[in-house]
Amino acid sequence: MNHIGTNSIETVRLILRRFEPYDCNDMFKNWASDIETLKFLPWGPHSDISVTRRRIFNWIANYEYPDFYNWAIYLKSAGEVIGSISVEISDDKEEACEVGYCIGKAYWGREIMPEALRAVMHYLFYEVGYKKIIARHDLLNYASGRVMQKAGMKLDKIIYKAGRRRDGKLYDVAVYVKYKDED
């Protein structure tokens, strides 16, 4: 593995970059305060911007570690940060990692997240050296599964009763995988 940390990645419409302190307003406004956007995520909406600020400052502190990968998704045409994408779990021995992402609902359905996910997977495969990338979603979050499919990932398995949602209900998880040699 060649851990090089979170470096900027540019696509046609996006700049994937490290979070900065001034991203607090964008994050709070575009996704961290919206219950619908966060419906399937383990963390709930931020009660106020100070929660968002603490989260971002924690990420900024972690950028010093070369195995920390967390990008702000900056949409060039909007001139603001509209979501995030990160490595949630890493296993160097297996040369595998799991990615997670979130984007504000105002930007759903525009093919932005598949574009970001493809760019991050390319970076993780060809710059860092992972051989396998995993992503998972609550089975009821069909849109997230479509993002994974559009990014070239394949359904690997379904895990039943994988955990509990914030509302206490059990949920099932679809696990998607992409291998480096599938390109």
Side-chain angles (χ1 to χ4, degrees):
M1 303 299 303
N2 178 36
H3 287 296
I4 55 175
T6 306
N7 294 312
S8 292
I9 305 168
E10 189 164 352
T11 70
V12 173
R13 299 182 294 168
L14 308 173
I15 297 173
L16 308 176
R17 60 162 175 79
R18 292 178 175 199
F19 277 91
E20 297 290 344
Y22 55 80
D23 294 325
C24 294
N25 289 332
D26 289 351
M27 180 175 170
F28 185 76
K29 175 184 74 155
N30 287 325
W31 76 95
S33 63
D34 182 55
I35 195 161
E36 187 178 351
T37 298
L38 305 176
K39 181 178 180 179
F40 296 105
L41 294 180
W43 54 279
H46 292 174
S47 55
D48 62 65
I49 199 163
S50 68
V51 178
T52 306
R53 186 173 292 109
R54 282 192 303 274
R55 170 81 52 104
I56 285 180
F57 276 82
N58 182 42
W59 290 336
I60 291 169
N62 281 308
Y63 285 132
E64 74 176 85
Y65 301 106
D67 61 348
F68 181 74
Y69 301 99
N70 185 21
W71 291 270
I73 301 171
Y74 178 86
L75 180 61
K76 296 175 192 176
S77 64
E80 61 185 10
V81 173
I82 61 165
S84 66
I85 185 167
S86 61
V87 171
E88 300 293 321
I89 300 169
S90 179
D91 185 338
D92 286 4
K93 184 178 173 191
E94 297 293 324
E95 298 178 309
C97 68
E98 181 175 327
V99 296
Y101 49 80
C102 185
I103 188 170
K105 72 179 174 190
Y107 302 96
W108 293 354
R110 298 188 193 181
E111 303 296 317
I112 294 169
M113 193 50 73
E115 182 178 331
L117 181 54
R118 283 190 298 269
V120 165
M121 287 193 306
H122 186 272
Y123 180 88
L124 295 172
F125 282 142
Y126 296 101
E127 302 295 327
V128 180
Y130 286 109
K131 303 285 192 254
K132 177 182 178 182
I133 297 174
I134 301 162
R136 59 180 69 208
H137 69 87
D138 184 312
L139 213 53
L140 296 181
N141 188 355
Y142 309 109
S144 191
R146 287 293 300 139
V147 166
M148 294 169 197
Q149 293 165 11
K150 290 176 182 181
M153 302 184 88
K154 304 282 187 247
L155 180 64
D156 182 55
K157 62 186 169 186
I158 295 176
I159 303 171
Y160 295 97
K161 297 180 181 171
R164 290 198 183 275
R165 292 189 190 102
R166 289 190 315 272
D167 65 6
K169 294 179 183 172
L170 287 171
Y171 66 92
D172 304 326
V173 169
V175 179
Y176 282 76
V177 177
K178 183 162 178 74
Y179 294 92
K180 182 178 180 181
D181 57 11
E182 289 179 336
D183 289 343

